[in-house]
Amino acid sequence: AALACLLFLFGVSISSAQYVPKPPRFSWDTIPVFFHSSNSSGPFTDAAIQFLAKYPMVTIEKFQGPCGHSKSVSPACHQEALIVNELKRIKAVNPNVSTIFYYNSVLDFAQYDLHKTMLENPDLMLKNENGSTVEMGCPSPTGKCDVFDFSNTITRQLFLEECYNQTKTGYVDGCFLDRAVDGTPTDPTLDPNNPGDKYNLGKAKAIAYTKGHIQVMTDLQKAIGNGPIVANHAYGPPHDNLLPGDVTFSMIEGFGANNASIQQLLWASANGRGVQAHYRDCQSISVNAVAAFLVGAGHNAFFGCGPWSSAWESPIEQSWQSFYDYPLGEPLGPATLVDNVYVRHFSKNVTATFNINSNSGNIAGWAPIGPPPPPPPPPSPPLPSPTKSCVNLYWGGDSNYDLNNTTKQSSWEDCCQACVENTKCAVWTYFEDSKACHQHSSIKGKNTNGPNILSGLPARLI
């Protein structure tokens, strides 16, 4: 009865709110980008919020604030409020940002208020054939979370309202649903006619759970209209059973410079689905990954990078890459694939290419992407003139085959002479800075460390 009353109250909240969730702004003027992360140390600074408001699409993760990583994590953390408060601050700077609330479509994370309702109504938790609560591994102090039982109509309604009511605050446009098609109790497929059952649900329960999981996601998309429901890894057929129109967005978690990532972009586009292509490490982005994105990206495809959680309390400029501001323009058509190379042209004289054999790409018309290459080493100074006893001089040293009789010599000529006088010495190396003279029994250890190291052969070996 208490839960029924709660759902009734949710319904009153839903019908009275006026805010209409918005999809993200999309443009090919520059590469479309998004942000997905959280600040585990607390609220973002005002400067960081100003920075986040540059993105057309922002998701705040479950680790916002220190509670998500705390050993005392519980519904008292009020994770919903921590996330929505940051999205509210972003909206205050730029109302056009499409703001996304994170929660998990499988795991009932303990830091959410939703978990309190689940604890008070354990029948909403998924049970196996023996009646035991199913627990799955999750990033929590206990390492385990209970699971929403989507075969239960009330669970589906409660889960839907968790997102729906956030949108009615006026600060949230949509929700990110983690584990939408994988990492579920009925893996390895989202096929309701052939579900997995590694948690001993029984076939009928596994089928009902899988159908309910699909239904709650599609019902949620209908409930919020054009607001984005981002279903993780849900690119649509042939990858999974979320059909065109079921949800509006997906995420490629772990996007990379490879043909698999390009195919995931193409699947999403073919199914009319926007996509967030997430590259994990902002500091290691290469032109190869960006070229892969550009050849496969369709309408509403966004590129982003960064960890799920970090101490972002200070301005987070490192997440905004310099190439985010490079001109791009509308694509002049889909990419063509000839001799294992994708080629795609854009209206602002930009051409992206990607070789699916070598996983290498290029973007003509853009400045280089990634850290600048190291400067070339300075040219070696001219070699000194050889002497009668010391020939075949070269810059660099020799390693191995050391005769273990290092001495100090005032000049390279003296070092060479010491080698000449030792019948076991085949090559000498002189360190000009330290005046150290090394003798070696073989030239096979030759290497090239630096212009201040000079080596040569005694003339008797020539």
Side-chain angles (χ1 to χ4, degrees):
L3 181 59
C5 181
L6 174 65
L7 295 179
F8 174 77
L9 291 175
F10 279 149
V12 172
S13 171
I14 290 170
S15 63
S16 63
Q18 300 300 314
Y19 183 74
V20 178
K22 297 189 291 288
R25 295 164 294 136
F26 183 81
S27 171
W28 290 105
D29 287 345
T30 54
I31 184 171
V33 294
F34 76 99
F35 179 87
H36 181 129
S37 191
S38 59
N39 176 19
S40 59
S41 65
F44 289 98
T45 63
D46 290 342
I49 292 293
Q50 291 282 340
F51 185 77
L52 290 176
K54 294 173 60 176
Y55 287 89
M57 193 179 200
V58 174
T59 301
I60 301 298
E61 258 275 351
K62 60 185 173 291
F63 296 119
Q64 177 59 37
C67 206
H69 291 293
S70 169
K71 293 183 179 180
S72 58
V73 61
S74 75
C77 295
H78 304 301
Q79 192 63 56
E80 290 92 337
L82 293 175
I83 293 173
V84 172
N85 185 62
E86 300 307 291
L87 298 177
K88 176 182 178 181
R89 295 173 66 203
I90 293 168
K91 283 281 193 185
V93 175
N94 184 357
N96 294 318
V97 178
S98 186
T99 48
I100 311 298
F101 171 91
Y102 172 99
Y103 70 141
N104 197 292
S105 75
V106 172
L107 304 174
D108 175 27
F109 282 116
Q111 66 264 40
Y112 285 76
D113 292 324
L114 177 59
H115 182 59
K116 182 174 185 292
T117 304
M118 295 290 288
L119 290 174
E120 293 170 348
N121 299 272
D123 288 345
L124 305 182
M125 299 177 183
L126 187 65
K127 306 293 194 299
N128 62 22
E129 283 190 302
N130 297 324
S132 300
T133 298
V134 173
E135 292 183 319
M136 297 180 67
C138 69
S140 73
T142 63
K144 294 181 179 180
C145 287
D146 63 87
V147 175
F148 302 107
D149 182 2
F150 289 132
S151 70
N152 186 317
T153 302
I154 296 177
T155 307
R156 293 198 301 271
Q157 180 70 11
L158 185 69
F159 183 86
L160 183 152
E161 288 166 345
E162 170 77 353
C163 171
Y164 196 109
N165 286 333
Q166 307 311 322
T167 70
K168 295 310 168 186
T169 63
Y171 312 122
V172 176
D173 290 298
C175 292
F176 184 95
L177 305 185
D178 215 346
R179 300 203 184 196
V181 299
D182 48 22
T184 79
T186 55
D187 266 356
T189 72
L190 193 68
D191 181 358
N193 298 312
N194 187 31
D197 191 15
K198 59 187 175 183
Y199 289 92
N200 300 316
L201 305 180
K203 185 173 182 179
K205 184 75 168 184
I207 290 173
Y209 169 86
T210 306
K211 288 182 176 180
H213 193 188
I214 295 172
Q215 182 179 344
V216 75
M217 290 187 283
T218 58
D219 288 349
L220 179 53
Q221 183 66 76
K222 291 175 184 176
I224 69 169
N226 291 326
I229 293 299
V230 186
N232 200 12
H233 298 169
Y235 321 124
H239 176 265
D240 55 76
N241 289 309
L242 278 173
L243 301 177
D246 285 354
V247 294
T248 53
F249 268 85
S250 60
M251 174 184 269
I252 303 174
E253 184 180 346
F255 184 86
N258 52 66
N259 192 38
S261 291
I262 294 173
Q263 294 307 309
Q264 290 161 355
L265 285 170
L266 295 174
W267 287 335
S269 180
N271 287 299
R273 192 162 298 165
V275 63
Q276 297 176 335
H278 184 267
Y279 191 92
R280 188 62 183 266
D281 182 9
C282 292
Q283 304 311 303
S284 66
I285 294 176
S286 69
V287 66
N288 302 326
V290 183
F293 174 79
L294 290 179
V295 299
H299 180 72
N300 272 342
F302 293 80
F303 184 89
C305 65
W308 307 129
S309 173
S310 187
W312 295 106
E313 72 277 2
S314 58
I316 50 179
E317 285 82 355
Q318 65 169 299
S319 71
W320 187 275
Q321 304 296 298
S322 60
F323 67 86
Y324 286 5
D325 295 311
Y326 294 173
L328 181 61
E330 292 274 345
L332 301 181
T336 57
L337 180 62
V338 178
D339 294 332
N340 297 310
V341 177
Y342 277 109
V343 180
R344 195 179 196 189
H345 303 285
F346 297 84
S347 63
K348 294 184 179 180
N349 298 316
V350 175
T351 297
T353 59
F354 188 84
N355 187 311
I356 61 175
N357 281 348
S358 62
N359 290 335
S360 59
N362 184 60
I363 305 174
W366 275 11
I369 292 175
S380 299
L383 284 167
S385 299
T387 67
K388 184 177 180 180
S389 300
C390 307
V391 296
N392 286 22
L393 305 184
Y394 56 90
W395 292 115
D398 277 74
S399 58
N400 300 321
Y401 305 101
D402 201 307
L403 291 175
N404 297 317
N405 60 344
T406 300
T407 59
K408 291 283 187 178
Q409 301 291 345
S410 60
S411 66
W412 67 266
E413 292 94 342
D414 291 341
C415 182
C416 171
Q417 187 60 39
C419 180
V420 169
E421 295 171 359
N422 182 356
T423 57
K424 294 181 180 179
C425 180
V427 61
W428 53 269
T429 297
Y430 183 67
F431 293 79
E432 293 185 344
D433 293 339
S434 64
K435 308 297 183 184
C437 176
H438 291 250
Q439 297 182 27
H440 305 271
S441 61
S442 172
I443 198 172
K444 293 179 181 178
K446 184 177 180 180
N447 57 48
T448 55
N449 325 344
N452 294 325
I453 306 172
L454 185 66
S455 297
L457 307 182
R460 58 178 162 75
L461 296 182
I462 303 303

